[in-house]
Amino acid sequence: MRKTIFIIAALVFGGLMLGALDSIHPFGEPGNVPMDEYFLHHALEDRSSENVVTSIVFDYRGFDTIGEAAVLFTAVCSVLALFREGAKK
Amino acid sequence: MKPLSIVVRTCCDMFAWFMVVFGSYVIIHGDVTPGGGFQGGAIVATFMALLLVAYGGEKVLSWVKFSFYNGLLIVGLLLFLLFGFSGMANSFFYNFLAVPEAVALAGGAHGIIPPSGTIALMDIAVGIEVTGGLTLILLYMFKGTRMFNLIEMGGETGHDSR
Amino acid sequence: MTEYLHLFVLLVLIISAFYAIWFRDLLSSILALAAFSLVLSLEFYILQAPDVAIAEAAIGAGLSTAIYLIALRACGRLKKGNGGGLR
């Protein structure tokens, strides 16, 4: 019984995923997005930064990086709260 | 705890310091080569992972200073926020130090600060923060497992002992 | 040429992922997972994303392997037969 349910679920989800693969972009050709063109052309001219990824992370989308830094800080705080020295006796 | 064999310890001794140098290179050159603050900080944090796996708990935990890495975490985060707030005359996170490429090639860049402005400085700040944070996570996890071991099972076991 | 390189790398990815869940010894399983992360970073490099490749190689193959090793050493359960193999 469980094996039958498992096989039916695997077939259904596999079929849905194969169907979804049909409608994505072809490999190596992303869609026509004007924002990509803006970033690629203005990162070197305006900011003189050769690495466009770093220029996006720290300049154009700098506000998101605060969230990333806060996530790391929260992870360190939670690990410290879990493993702090307080458990001995 | 028994440390690992002498071959592993010698290799980890050499490669750990190369990891620090390579990670600092990736952090400092974040705006011209692939990489950046997060990647370079993770590479520098591999230093402590190598030492912990090779030497075991007693030696490293008696040698390392937790307050140093704590200070790195806090200083990096505050430095990042300071660079964010210092462009506040225009808007939050405004890149007020950037020089356009034509001006920089003509010699108009300012001194020791790279022409990409706060991008390179924020790279260094985030690199300092990630170094402190990931090393602290490793060290506290190791300390916590040692605590659990000493309470529950009575003594540590190295993974070459059985 | 590039298609064959892609096929080879993806084949090694599938093989190492299979061995990561097939080994009954947990230490061998951790090493297979480290090999998976290393080959995955090679795949990211072939797909021209060197930033992601550096992050994957440093965190996936370096730090998380060390954390798994520390956790396994702390548990002290390195005897055979404790992993959940498929057999």
Side-chain angles (χ1 to χ4, degrees), chain C residues 11-49:
Chain C
L11 202 65
V12 176
L13 266 181
I14 291 177
I15 289 173
S16 61
F18 172 72
Y19 271 114
I21 61 172
W22 189 74
F23 275 136
R24 311 197 86 177
D25 188 13
L26 284 185
L27 186 60
S28 312
S29 181
I30 289 173
L31 292 183
L33 203 61
F36 176 78
S37 282
L38 201 61
V39 181
L40 187 60
S41 78
L42 178 63
E43 172 68 23
F44 280 139
Y45 183 72
I46 294 172
L47 288 179
Q48 300 178 2

mmCIF file of all heavy atoms in Angstrom, chain C residues 11-49:
data_model
loop_
_atom_site.group_PDB
_atom_site.id
_atom_site.type_symbol
_atom_site.label_atom_id
_atom_site.label_comp_id
_atom_site.label_asym_id
_atom_site.label_seq_id
_atom_site.Cartn_x
_atom_site.Cartn_y
_atom_site.Cartn_z
ATOM 1 N N LEU C 11 28.084 13.557 -14.043
ATOM 2 C CA LEU C 11 28.102 12.130 -13.695
ATOM 3 C C LEU C 11 28.828 11.914 -12.372
ATOM 4 O O LEU C 11 28.350 11.150 -11.507
ATOM 5 C CB LEU C 11 28.784 11.364 -14.825
ATOM 6 C CG LEU C 11 28.447 9.888 -14.925
ATOM 7 C CD1 LEU C 11 26.978 9.741 -15.256
ATOM 8 C CD2 LEU C 11 29.290 9.245 -15.995
ATOM 9 N N VAL C 12 29.971 12.607 -12.206
ATOM 10 C CA VAL C 12 30.709 12.467 -10.946
ATOM 11 C C VAL C 12 29.884 13.012 -9.787
ATOM 12 O O VAL C 12 29.888 12.447 -8.679
ATOM 13 C CB VAL C 12 32.075 13.180 -11.057
ATOM 14 C CG1 VAL C 12 32.805 13.137 -9.734
ATOM 15 C CG2 VAL C 12 32.919 12.503 -12.097
ATOM 16 N N LEU C 13 29.112 14.094 -10.031
ATOM 17 C CA LEU C 13 28.227 14.637 -8.993
ATOM 18 C C LEU C 13 27.211 13.600 -8.537
ATOM 19 O O LEU C 13 27.015 13.384 -7.333
ATOM 20 C CB LEU C 13 27.483 15.857 -9.539
ATOM 21 C CG LEU C 13 28.042 17.233 -9.297
ATOM 22 C CD1 LEU C 13 27.124 18.260 -9.900
ATOM 23 C CD2 LEU C 13 28.148 17.465 -7.822
ATOM 24 N N ILE C 14 26.562 12.932 -9.526
ATOM 25 C CA ILE C 14 25.530 11.953 -9.168
ATOM 26 C C ILE C 14 26.147 10.779 -8.435
ATOM 27 O O ILE C 14 25.607 10.295 -7.426
ATOM 28 C CB ILE C 14 24.784 11.503 -10.441
ATOM 29 C CG1 ILE C 14 23.946 12.647 -10.973
ATOM 30 C CG2 ILE C 14 23.897 10.329 -10.151
ATOM 31 C CD1 ILE C 14 23.251 12.334 -12.241
ATOM 32 N N ILE C 15 27.340 10.338 -8.890
ATOM 33 C CA ILE C 15 27.974 9.178 -8.255
ATOM 34 C C ILE C 15 28.369 9.508 -6.819
ATOM 35 O O ILE C 15 28.119 8.724 -5.892
ATOM 36 C CB ILE C 15 29.205 8.746 -9.078
ATOM 37 C CG1 ILE C 15 28.760 8.113 -10.381
ATOM 38 C CG2 ILE C 15 30.052 7.756 -8.293
ATOM 39 C CD1 ILE C 15 29.888 7.819 -11.305
ATOM 40 N N SER C 16 28.952 10.709 -6.599
ATOM 41 C CA SER C 16 29.388 11.037 -5.232
ATOM 42 C C SER C 16 28.183 11.264 -4.324
ATOM 43 O O SER C 16 28.221 10.906 -3.138
ATOM 44 C CB SER C 16 30.289 12.261 -5.242
ATOM 45 O OG SER C 16 29.598 13.356 -5.748
ATOM 46 N N ALA C 17 27.089 11.834 -4.842
ATOM 47 C CA ALA C 17 25.891 12.010 -4.022
ATOM 48 C C ALA C 17 25.292 10.659 -3.654
ATOM 49 O O ALA C 17 24.823 10.460 -2.528
ATOM 50 C CB ALA C 17 24.865 12.858 -4.762
ATOM 51 N N PHE C 18 25.347 9.700 -4.608
ATOM 52 C CA PHE C 18 24.826 8.362 -4.297
ATOM 53 C C PHE C 18 25.658 7.694 -3.217
ATOM 54 O O PHE C 18 25.119 7.103 -2.275
ATOM 55 C CB PHE C 18 24.822 7.515 -5.578
ATOM 56 C CG PHE C 18 24.492 6.086 -5.325
ATOM 57 C CD1 PHE C 18 23.201 5.725 -5.005
ATOM 58 C CD2 PHE C 18 25.459 5.107 -5.394
ATOM 59 C CE1 PHE C 18 22.883 4.417 -4.760
ATOM 60 C CE2 PHE C 18 25.156 3.800 -5.153
ATOM 61 C CZ PHE C 18 23.864 3.438 -4.833
ATOM 62 N N TYR C 19 27.002 7.833 -3.328
ATOM 63 C CA TYR C 19 27.839 7.191 -2.316
ATOM 64 C C TYR C 19 27.698 7.872 -0.964
ATOM 65 O O TYR C 19 27.888 7.231 0.063
ATOM 66 C CB TYR C 19 29.295 7.194 -2.763
ATOM 67 C CG TYR C 19 29.640 5.983 -3.566
ATOM 68 C CD1 TYR C 19 29.985 6.082 -4.900
ATOM 69 C CD2 TYR C 19 29.595 4.736 -2.988
ATOM 70 C CE1 TYR C 19 30.272 4.969 -5.640
ATOM 71 C CE2 TYR C 19 29.881 3.611 -3.716
ATOM 72 C CZ TYR C 19 30.222 3.727 -5.042
ATOM 73 O OH TYR C 19 30.490 2.622 -5.765
ATOM 74 N N ALA C 20 27.363 9.182 -0.946
ATOM 75 C CA ALA C 20 27.200 9.868 0.343
ATOM 76 C C ALA C 20 26.046 9.289 1.140
ATOM 77 O O ALA C 20 26.076 9.304 2.365
ATOM 78 C CB ALA C 20 26.990 11.362 0.122
ATOM 79 N N ILE C 21 25.005 8.765 0.465
ATOM 80 C CA ILE C 21 23.912 8.157 1.227
ATOM 81 C C ILE C 21 24.012 6.644 1.251
ATOM 82 O O ILE C 21 23.256 5.992 1.947
ATOM 83 C CB ILE C 21 22.526 8.579 0.694
ATOM 84 C CG1 ILE C 21 22.368 8.141 -0.731
ATOM 85 C CG2 ILE C 21 22.335 10.046 0.840
ATOM 86 C CD1 ILE C 21 20.994 8.335 -1.245
ATOM 87 N N TRP C 22 24.949 6.040 0.508
ATOM 88 C CA TRP C 22 24.988 4.584 0.443
ATOM 89 C C TRP C 22 25.949 3.987 1.451
ATOM 90 O O TRP C 22 25.727 2.879 1.922
ATOM 91 C CB TRP C 22 25.365 4.162 -0.968
ATOM 92 C CG TRP C 22 25.238 2.709 -1.203
ATOM 93 C CD1 TRP C 22 24.088 2.011 -1.351
ATOM 94 C CD2 TRP C 22 26.288 1.759 -1.293
ATOM 95 N NE1 TRP C 22 24.359 0.695 -1.539
ATOM 96 C CE2 TRP C 22 25.694 0.507 -1.515
ATOM 97 C CE3 TRP C 22 27.682 1.854 -1.223
ATOM 98 C CZ2 TRP C 22 26.442 -0.639 -1.663
ATOM 99 C CZ3 TRP C 22 28.415 0.711 -1.366
ATOM 100 C CH2 TRP C 22 27.802 -0.528 -1.580
ATOM 101 N N PHE C 23 27.024 4.744 1.800
ATOM 102 C CA PHE C 23 27.997 4.229 2.749
ATOM 103 C C PHE C 23 27.347 4.015 4.109
ATOM 104 O O PHE C 23 26.565 4.835 4.570
ATOM 105 C CB PHE C 23 29.149 5.226 2.909
ATOM 106 C CG PHE C 23 30.202 5.082 1.872
ATOM 107 C CD1 PHE C 23 30.744 6.194 1.266
ATOM 108 C CD2 PHE C 23 30.658 3.830 1.501
ATOM 109 C CE1 PHE C 23 31.715 6.059 0.313
ATOM 110 C CE2 PHE C 23 31.633 3.704 0.548
ATOM 111 C CZ PHE C 23 32.169 4.818 -0.055
ATOM 112 N N ARG C 24 27.728 2.920 4.764
ATOM 113 C CA ARG C 24 27.211 2.716 6.115
ATOM 114 C C ARG C 24 28.144 3.321 7.143
ATOM 115 O O ARG C 24 27.741 3.590 8.265
ATOM 116 C CB ARG C 24 27.020 1.235 6.395
ATOM 117 C CG ARG C 24 26.271 0.545 5.291
ATOM 118 C CD ARG C 24 25.745 -0.757 5.742
ATOM 119 N NE ARG C 24 24.455 -0.573 6.386
ATOM 120 C CZ ARG C 24 23.731 -1.568 6.835
ATOM 121 N NH1 ARG C 24 24.190 -2.788 6.741
ATOM 122 N NH2 ARG C 24 22.571 -1.340 7.397
ATOM 123 N N ASP C 25 29.419 3.524 6.776
ATOM 124 C CA ASP C 25 30.367 4.175 7.670
ATOM 125 C C ASP C 25 30.191 5.684 7.545
ATOM 126 O O ASP C 25 30.236 6.234 6.446
ATOM 127 C CB ASP C 25 31.777 3.770 7.268
ATOM 128 C CG ASP C 25 32.782 4.252 8.265
ATOM 129 O OD1 ASP C 25 32.357 4.666 9.357
ATOM 130 O OD2 ASP C 25 33.976 4.224 7.959
ATOM 131 N N LEU C 26 29.966 6.350 8.674
ATOM 132 C CA LEU C 26 29.625 7.771 8.593
ATOM 133 C C LEU C 26 30.813 8.622 8.169
ATOM 134 O O LEU C 26 30.637 9.653 7.517
ATOM 135 C CB LEU C 26 29.102 8.251 9.947
ATOM 136 C CG LEU C 26 27.687 7.808 10.254
ATOM 137 C CD1 LEU C 26 27.229 8.416 11.544
ATOM 138 C CD2 LEU C 26 26.756 8.227 9.160
ATOM 139 N N LEU C 27 32.040 8.219 8.508
ATOM 140 C CA LEU C 27 33.210 8.984 8.110
ATOM 141 C C LEU C 27 33.384 8.966 6.592
ATOM 142 O O LEU C 27 33.628 10.009 5.967
ATOM 143 C CB LEU C 27 34.442 8.402 8.804
ATOM 144 C CG LEU C 27 35.734 9.170 8.613
ATOM 145 C CD1 LEU C 27 35.553 10.567 9.154
ATOM 146 C CD2 LEU C 27 36.849 8.480 9.345
ATOM 147 N N SER C 28 33.172 7.797 5.975
ATOM 148 C CA SER C 28 33.238 7.714 4.518
ATOM 149 C C SER C 28 32.132 8.539 3.878
ATOM 150 O O SER C 28 32.339 9.163 2.836
ATOM 151 C CB SER C 28 33.105 6.259 4.088
ATOM 152 O OG SER C 28 33.960 5.460 4.845
ATOM 153 N N SER C 29 30.981 8.576 4.535
ATOM 154 C CA SER C 29 29.865 9.354 4.008
ATOM 155 C C SER C 29 30.190 10.842 4.019
ATOM 156 O O SER C 29 29.897 11.569 3.058
ATOM 157 C CB SER C 29 28.632 9.063 4.848
ATOM 158 O OG SER C 29 27.548 9.780 4.363
ATOM 159 N N ILE C 30 30.845 11.300 5.108
ATOM 160 C CA ILE C 30 31.238 12.716 5.187
ATOM 161 C C ILE C 30 32.249 13.046 4.101
ATOM 162 O O ILE C 30 32.173 14.094 3.448
ATOM 163 C CB ILE C 30 31.797 13.024 6.579
ATOM 164 C CG1 ILE C 30 30.686 13.006 7.601
ATOM 165 C CG2 ILE C 30 32.474 14.360 6.609
ATOM 166 C CD1 ILE C 30 31.191 13.123 8.997
ATOM 167 N N LEU C 31 33.194 12.133 3.854
ATOM 168 C CA LEU C 31 34.199 12.400 2.822
ATOM 169 C C LEU C 31 33.568 12.418 1.438
ATOM 170 O O LEU C 31 33.957 13.225 0.582
ATOM 171 C CB LEU C 31 35.312 11.368 2.897
ATOM 172 C CG LEU C 31 36.158 11.502 4.164
ATOM 173 C CD1 LEU C 31 37.276 10.512 4.164
ATOM 174 C CD2 LEU C 31 36.690 12.904 4.288
ATOM 175 N N ALA C 32 32.564 11.560 1.206
ATOM 176 C CA ALA C 32 31.865 11.604 -0.079
ATOM 177 C C ALA C 32 31.115 12.910 -0.251
ATOM 178 O O ALA C 32 31.055 13.472 -1.348
ATOM 179 C CB ALA C 32 30.903 10.420 -0.183
ATOM 180 N N LEU C 33 30.566 13.441 0.860
ATOM 181 C CA LEU C 33 29.870 14.730 0.784
ATOM 182 C C LEU C 33 30.849 15.865 0.485
ATOM 183 O O LEU C 33 30.521 16.801 -0.265
ATOM 184 C CB LEU C 33 29.149 14.987 2.106
ATOM 185 C CG LEU C 33 27.976 15.941 2.047
ATOM 186 C CD1 LEU C 33 26.931 15.397 1.126
ATOM 187 C CD2 LEU C 33 27.405 16.131 3.418
ATOM 188 N N ALA C 34 32.077 15.786 1.037
ATOM 189 C CA ALA C 34 33.097 16.794 0.734
ATOM 190 C C ALA C 34 33.492 16.740 -0.734
ATOM 191 O O ALA C 34 33.658 17.774 -1.386
ATOM 192 C CB ALA C 34 34.315 16.592 1.624
ATOM 193 N N ALA C 35 33.615 15.523 -1.278
ATOM 194 C CA ALA C 35 33.919 15.385 -2.699
ATOM 195 C C ALA C 35 32.795 15.939 -3.556
ATOM 196 O O ALA C 35 33.040 16.578 -4.585
ATOM 197 C CB ALA C 35 34.163 13.919 -3.037
ATOM 198 N N PHE C 36 31.551 15.748 -3.109
ATOM 199 C CA PHE C 36 30.390 16.315 -3.812
ATOM 200 C C PHE C 36 30.481 17.840 -3.872
ATOM 201 O O PHE C 36 30.263 18.456 -4.913
ATOM 202 C CB PHE C 36 29.119 15.869 -3.094
ATOM 203 C CG PHE C 36 27.862 16.456 -3.636
ATOM 204 C CD1 PHE C 36 27.303 15.966 -4.779
ATOM 205 C CD2 PHE C 36 27.255 17.519 -3.003
ATOM 206 C CE1 PHE C 36 26.146 16.505 -5.284
ATOM 207 C CE2 PHE C 36 26.099 18.065 -3.500
ATOM 208 C CZ PHE C 36 25.554 17.550 -4.645
ATOM 209 N N SER C 37 30.836 18.468 -2.729
ATOM 210 C CA SER C 37 30.940 19.923 -2.710
ATOM 211 C C SER C 37 32.065 20.414 -3.611
ATOM 212 O O SER C 37 31.924 21.429 -4.301
ATOM 213 C CB SER C 37 31.185 20.421 -1.292
ATOM 214 O OG SER C 37 30.004 20.400 -0.569
ATOM 215 N N LEU C 38 33.175 19.683 -3.628
ATOM 216 C CA LEU C 38 34.311 20.099 -4.456
ATOM 217 C C LEU C 38 33.963 20.034 -5.937
ATOM 218 O O LEU C 38 34.229 20.976 -6.700
ATOM 219 C CB LEU C 38 35.495 19.200 -4.136
ATOM 220 C CG LEU C 38 36.854 19.751 -4.485
ATOM 221 C CD1 LEU C 38 37.082 21.009 -3.697
ATOM 222 C CD2 LEU C 38 37.912 18.744 -4.159
ATOM 223 N N VAL C 39 33.303 18.934 -6.352
ATOM 224 C CA VAL C 39 32.922 18.796 -7.762
ATOM 225 C C VAL C 39 31.840 19.809 -8.114
ATOM 226 O O VAL C 39 31.811 20.339 -9.229
ATOM 227 C CB VAL C 39 32.485 17.346 -8.042
ATOM 228 C CG1 VAL C 39 32.105 17.174 -9.476
ATOM 229 C CG2 VAL C 39 33.612 16.418 -7.722
ATOM 230 N N LEU C 40 30.974 20.137 -7.151
ATOM 231 C CA LEU C 40 29.942 21.151 -7.402
ATOM 232 C C LEU C 40 30.575 22.524 -7.624
ATOM 233 O O LEU C 40 30.124 23.297 -8.478
ATOM 234 C CB LEU C 40 28.977 21.193 -6.225
ATOM 235 C CG LEU C 40 27.761 22.075 -6.406
ATOM 236 C CD1 LEU C 40 26.956 21.616 -7.583
ATOM 237 C CD2 LEU C 40 26.919 22.067 -5.175
ATOM 238 N N SER C 41 31.656 22.833 -6.878
ATOM 239 C CA SER C 41 32.330 24.112 -7.100
ATOM 240 C C SER C 41 33.017 24.128 -8.465
ATOM 241 O O SER C 41 33.069 25.174 -9.129
ATOM 242 C CB SER C 41 33.344 24.375 -5.991
ATOM 243 O OG SER C 41 34.498 23.629 -6.209
ATOM 244 N N LEU C 42 33.513 22.968 -8.912
ATOM 245 C CA LEU C 42 34.078 22.891 -10.273
ATOM 246 C C LEU C 42 33.006 23.162 -11.318
ATOM 247 O O LEU C 42 33.243 23.876 -12.312
ATOM 248 C CB LEU C 42 34.707 21.520 -10.484
ATOM 249 C CG LEU C 42 35.297 21.249 -11.856
ATOM 250 C CD1 LEU C 42 36.427 22.201 -12.110
ATOM 251 C CD2 LEU C 42 35.764 19.832 -11.962
ATOM 252 N N GLU C 43 31.803 22.628 -11.084
ATOM 253 C CA GLU C 43 30.688 22.867 -12.010
ATOM 254 C C GLU C 43 30.319 24.350 -12.044
ATOM 255 O O GLU C 43 30.056 24.920 -13.098
ATOM 256 C CB GLU C 43 29.501 22.012 -11.582
ATOM 257 C CG GLU C 43 28.220 22.278 -12.321
ATOM 258 C CD GLU C 43 28.293 21.857 -13.756
ATOM 259 O OE1 GLU C 43 29.113 21.013 -14.073
ATOM 260 O OE2 GLU C 43 27.504 22.404 -14.562
ATOM 261 N N PHE C 44 30.309 25.013 -10.851
ATOM 262 C CA PHE C 44 30.030 26.451 -10.830
ATOM 263 C C PHE C 44 31.091 27.220 -11.596
ATOM 264 O O PHE C 44 30.789 28.206 -12.268
ATOM 265 C CB PHE C 44 29.993 26.959 -9.389
ATOM 266 C CG PHE C 44 28.707 26.675 -8.698
ATOM 267 C CD1 PHE C 44 28.695 26.262 -7.383
ATOM 268 C CD2 PHE C 44 27.513 26.838 -9.343
ATOM 269 C CE1 PHE C 44 27.524 26.003 -6.741
ATOM 270 C CE2 PHE C 44 26.328 26.580 -8.707
ATOM 271 C CZ PHE C 44 26.342 26.162 -7.410
ATOM 272 N N TYR C 45 32.346 26.758 -11.503
ATOM 273 C CA TYR C 45 33.413 27.465 -12.223
ATOM 274 C C TYR C 45 33.255 27.294 -13.726
ATOM 275 O O TYR C 45 33.507 28.223 -14.484
ATOM 276 C CB TYR C 45 34.777 26.947 -11.763
ATOM 277 C CG TYR C 45 35.907 27.667 -12.402
ATOM 278 C CD1 TYR C 45 36.195 28.980 -12.041
ATOM 279 C CD2 TYR C 45 36.676 27.072 -13.386
ATOM 280 C CE1 TYR C 45 37.214 29.660 -12.633
ATOM 281 C CE2 TYR C 45 37.697 27.752 -13.977
ATOM 282 C CZ TYR C 45 37.969 29.044 -13.604
ATOM 283 O OH TYR C 45 38.971 29.727 -14.193
ATOM 284 N N ILE C 46 32.823 26.094 -14.158
ATOM 285 C CA ILE C 46 32.622 25.890 -15.597
ATOM 286 C C ILE C 46 31.475 26.762 -16.093
ATOM 287 O O ILE C 46 31.521 27.295 -17.200
ATOM 288 C CB ILE C 46 32.350 24.403 -15.878
ATOM 289 C CG1 ILE C 46 33.586 23.583 -15.557
ATOM 290 C CG2 ILE C 46 31.990 24.177 -17.318
ATOM 291 C CD1 ILE C 46 33.333 22.119 -15.623
ATOM 292 N N LEU C 47 30.459 26.962 -15.245
ATOM 293 C CA LEU C 47 29.319 27.799 -15.633
ATOM 294 C C LEU C 47 29.611 29.288 -15.481
ATOM 295 O O LEU C 47 28.690 30.102 -15.497
ATOM 296 C CB LEU C 47 28.090 27.443 -14.805
ATOM 297 C CG LEU C 47 27.451 26.116 -15.133
ATOM 298 C CD1 LEU C 47 26.279 25.871 -14.227
ATOM 299 C CD2 LEU C 47 27.001 26.113 -16.561
ATOM 300 N N GLN C 48 30.897 29.668 -15.304
ATOM 301 C CA GLN C 48 31.353 31.060 -15.260
ATOM 302 C C GLN C 48 30.751 31.839 -14.105
ATOM 303 O O GLN C 48 30.256 32.958 -14.278
ATOM 304 C CB GLN C 48 31.067 31.771 -16.579
ATOM 305 C CG GLN C 48 31.761 31.117 -17.745
ATOM 306 C CD GLN C 48 31.439 31.774 -19.039
ATOM 307 O OE1 GLN C 48 30.713 32.754 -19.047
ATOM 308 N NE2 GLN C 48 31.962 31.242 -20.111
ATOM 309 N N ALA C 49 30.762 31.216 -12.907
ATOM 310 C CA ALA C 49 30.367 31.946 -11.703
ATOM 311 C C ALA C 49 31.453 31.745 -10.652
ATOM 312 O O ALA C 49 31.275 30.948 -9.733
ATOM 313 C CB ALA C 49 29.021 31.470 -11.184
#
